[in-house]
Amino acid sequence: MPAGRYDPPAMTTHARATPPHTAIVGLQWGDEGKGKIVDLLTSEHDVIVRYNGGANAGHTVQVGDQRYALHLIPSGILYPDKACVIGNGVVVDPEKVLQEFETLRARGVHIGGNLKISDRAHVVMPYHKEQDAALEEYLSAKTSGDRGNLSIGTTRRGIGPTYADKVRRSTAIRMGDLLDPAYLRSRLEVVCKLRTAELEALGVQTAPLDPAALAERYAGYGERLRPHIQDTVYALHDAMRAGKRLLFEGANASLLDIDHGTFPYVTSSNCSTLGIPAGTGVPGHAIGRVLGIMKAYSTRVGAGPFPTELDNELGHRIRERGREYGTTTGRPRRCGWLDLVAVRYSAMVCGATGIACTLFDVLSGLDEVKLCVRYRLPDGTETDRFLPDAHRLESVTPVYETLPGWSEDLRDAGDRATLPANARRYLERIEQVVGVPIEVVSLGPERTQTLVDGRRAAALAHA
Ligand code: GDP
Ligand code: IMO
Ligand code: MG
């Protein structure tokens, strides 16, 4: 190019000219059934994109009697003709990705050029997982008293320490670095010294980390992942210019968002839709549809405030009926009534244009059901605003509306209009309070156990 001349990039069409792209995002504390809904919408999209989190996520897709649990790979991988992208905002544990490759391939799932991983995604190293566990142990052993235990109850997948290194910059390793063994080794020389000292400070007796061995191992993973590692920002923009539709698959959930969740009992990324632009390089205005996923009740895994928690026989019953045990860690999930103050806040922050109400079948058989519509504050006043600060949220008491329950099994319902009147009333009240329409009602883990725009979803063709 002659000096002084500037050739603009070939941006002839703008993202806004393409069909709207869709975001799927959890409106509670995770495990809302995002995997199922992503699977449901995949056929209408071309590229499925993860923008945040890492192997802390566990997304279940059930196809007939086949159950798939996906952690790092987008749920769209089950369709061989769709492209999948792990964006720059994700923290990638290469060992876990390769394990997931093996498990999926053993079940006949194709993984090749259909999966791209951002060269700018940060790498979860073994010392991040050790640090995560060591900090949790340290905090649960050393902190007690009025404010209780300060540990978060993380998944111990190294998520927090990896994002901390990203923000610290000088100690971070990115996927692209795994492709340059000499550079990787030089970075690890410094990082390993520092990390050994930090682990010792947390009381971990560890042999000094060996940078040469670690560099060799991770460069090996890099070599195996080389065909997938690339600049995904250009790949996504190229796809949009070619008229492809993107589906963003949120991991974790809005109330676990590092900025907008129940801090400090959150994860370390922007899991709300606000994380999409930063985590993929796609501007927010390109997304036309935001489907917020919400269970018909609430659950939470790990520590942190949960105003509507049912730490009793009813909570136990919901846990058993909903099979509320973690997809990633197997931990029993805490269960409680639906908190609409929280859901309305998440829908606002995420810009939800519609809601998918999942696990609705689980509520059948209760004499009455409750919806939390306001909080009572310690001074006796009431508010319909969420309080994302954990300490403040711990002090509220839920104010409930009680509705009559229904006894019918909803799993085979064919139409929203023919659901039992009390079940319909429950859905309508949610729409009134949140102010967003329920577009999808999920009545079981399977694809076909779903009402889309009021009608039973047809069985989808699969790989
Ligand atoms: P995700 O992390 O949001 O993808 O959700 P998980 O997969 O961790 O947890 C949701 C669980 O509920 C999975 O076991 C799903 O198979 C299951 N599931 C999803 N939708 C429904 C539903 O409508 N009814 C029932 N009974 N189970 C569902
Ligand atoms: P999906 O995508 C439920 C929770 C953990 C812990 C906190 C921080 O399956 O909905 P971390 O390991 O991220 O540092 O843990 O966040 N958490 C989740 N809970 N579902 C998830 O993902 C979660 N991802 C993180 O239990 O309380
Ligand atoms: Mg999950």
Side-chain angles (χ1 to χ4, degrees):
M1 187 169 76
R5 197 181 123 205
Y6 172 66
D7 269 341
M11 295 281 283
T12 47
T13 53
H14 194 276
R16 264 181 291 197
T18 62
H21 308 293
T22 305
I24 297 284
V25 65
L27 296 180
Q28 295 158 312
W29 283 285
D31 306 322
E32 296 91 350
K34 298 176 290 292
K36 168 175 168 164
I37 306 298
V38 168
D39 178 63
L40 192 76
L41 295 194
T42 293
S43 57
E44 297 167 20
H45 295 83
D46 303 291
V47 188
I48 321 319
V49 191
R50 275 278 303 267
Y51 58 90
N52 78 297
N56 52 353
H59 296 178
T60 314
V61 178
Q62 185 150 340
V63 190
D65 59 358
Q66 294 289 310
R67 205 171 153 87
Y68 299 87
L70 297 140
H71 298 283
L72 271 157
I73 301 182
S75 302
I77 200 75
L78 302 180
Y79 290 74
D81 57 334
K82 305 292 174 182
C84 288
V85 171
I86 296 180
N88 56 277
V90 176
V91 287
V92 179
D93 180 338
E95 277 182 334
K96 288 266 177 225
V97 173
L98 289 165
Q99 267 171 24
E100 221 166 321
F101 277 18
E102 264 179 47
T103 318
L104 288 168
R105 281 179 177 148
R107 299 177 70 180
V109 176
H110 168 67
I111 303 174
N114 54 339
L115 177 70
K116 302 181 195 329
I117 303 175
S118 168
D119 54 2
R120 285 182 241 165
H122 284 248
V123 181
V124 179
M125 299 293 287
Y127 48 76
H128 290 129
K129 289 180 267 190
E130 275 186 73
Q131 267 188 305
D132 193 354
L135 185 61
E136 287 284 284
E137 296 292 335
Y138 178 91
L139 289 173
S140 56
K142 302 267 174 174
T143 58
S144 60
D146 293 347
R147 293 295 296 272
N149 187 331
L150 290 187
S151 65
I152 290 172
T154 72
T155 58
R156 303 190 177 201
R157 296 292 189 272
I159 306 297
T162 308
Y163 280 115
D165 269 352
K166 175 177 178 173
V167 177
R168 187 152 73 170
R169 299 154 296 169
S170 40
T171 48
I173 310 281
R174 305 201 292 182
M175 288 303 287
D177 301 340
L178 303 187
L179 304 180
D180 184 342
Y183 179 68
L184 177 64
R185 163 95 192 251
S186 70
R187 285 189 81 80
L188 282 174
E189 291 286 350
V190 184
V191 173
C192 283
K193 276 202 194 82
L194 205 65
R195 214 35 56 99
T196 305
E198 285 170 355
L199 282 166
E200 276 171 7
L202 288 171
V204 179
Q205 299 301 320
T206 173
L209 292 167
D210 178 350
L214 210 52
E216 195 183 335
R217 192 166 125 210
Y218 276 74
Y221 297 144
E223 216 33 63
R224 289 169 66 189
L225 293 170
R226 184 182 286 277
H228 306 278
I229 300 173
Q230 55 187 269
D231 184 324
T232 53
V233 175
Y234 274 109
L236 289 172
H237 281 268
D238 287 346
M240 287 194 291
R241 273 198 300 276
K244 308 280 186 201
R245 296 188 73 191
L246 312 187
L247 178 61
F248 296 94
E249 176 174 355
N252 329 125
S254 308
L255 300 178
L256 293 171
D257 185 289
I258 182 79
D259 284 288
H260 302 287
T262 51
F263 193 88
Y265 299 99
V266 292
T267 187
S268 303
S269 67
N270 286 116
C271 346
S272 68
T273 47
L274 302 174
I276 295 175
T280 63
V282 174
H285 64 64
I287 301 158
R289 181 183 183 197
V290 175
L291 192 60
I293 318 300
M294 177 206 78
K295 291 187 193 200
Y297 48 92
S298 308
T299 63
R300 172 160 211 168
V301 195
F306 184 179
T308 62
E309 182 166 14
L310 292 166
D311 190 9
N312 56 19
E313 183 50 38
L314 187 52
H316 176 74
R317 177 189 162 146
I318 293 175
R319 181 177 311 117
E320 295 310 309
R321 266 189 76 102
R323 295 211 279 174
E324 294 293 358
Y325 292 88
T327 311
T328 299
T329 59
R331 289 179 289 178
R333 296 175 183 148
R334 300 157 65 193
C335 298
W337 292 122
L338 181 55
D339 184 343
L340 288 180
V341 180
V343 168
R344 186 173 45 200
Y345 164 79
S346 293
M348 174 181 81
V349 169
C350 289
T353 56
I355 285 180
C357 176
T358 57
L359 290 118
F360 195 40
D361 52 303
V362 174
L363 292 185
S364 287
L366 300 174
D367 292 338
E368 52 184 35
V369 281
K370 293 188 189 226
L371 291 171
C372 170
V373 290
R374 287 186 306 283
Y375 295 148
R376 185 164 304 117
L377 302 173
D379 66 4
T381 58
E382 291 185 2
T383 181
D384 60 5
R385 294 194 166 199
F386 190 62
L387 305 168
D389 176 81
H391 185 50
R392 294 190 67 206
L393 191 61
E394 264 154 18
S395 72
V396 308
T397 312
V399 177
Y400 289 113
E401 276 180 15
T402 303
L403 301 179
W406 54 93
S407 56
E408 295 85 342
D409 184 344
L410 305 185
R411 281 174 293 185
D412 296 319
D415 202 317
R416 179 165 163 178
T418 58
L419 287 175
N422 290 343
R424 275 186 281 131
R425 218 159 123 193
Y426 189 76
L427 295 176
E428 282 156 18
R429 190 64 189 132
I430 294 169
E431 290 176 318
Q432 279 166 2
V433 176
V434 182
V436 178
I438 296 178
E439 293 175 4
V440 177
V441 181
S442 175
L443 303 167
E446 282 201 41
R447 287 173 174 172
T448 51
Q449 293 173 312
T450 319
L451 306 179
V452 181
D453 293 330
R455 294 284 173 77
R456 182 115 180 158
L460 297 164
H462 194 249

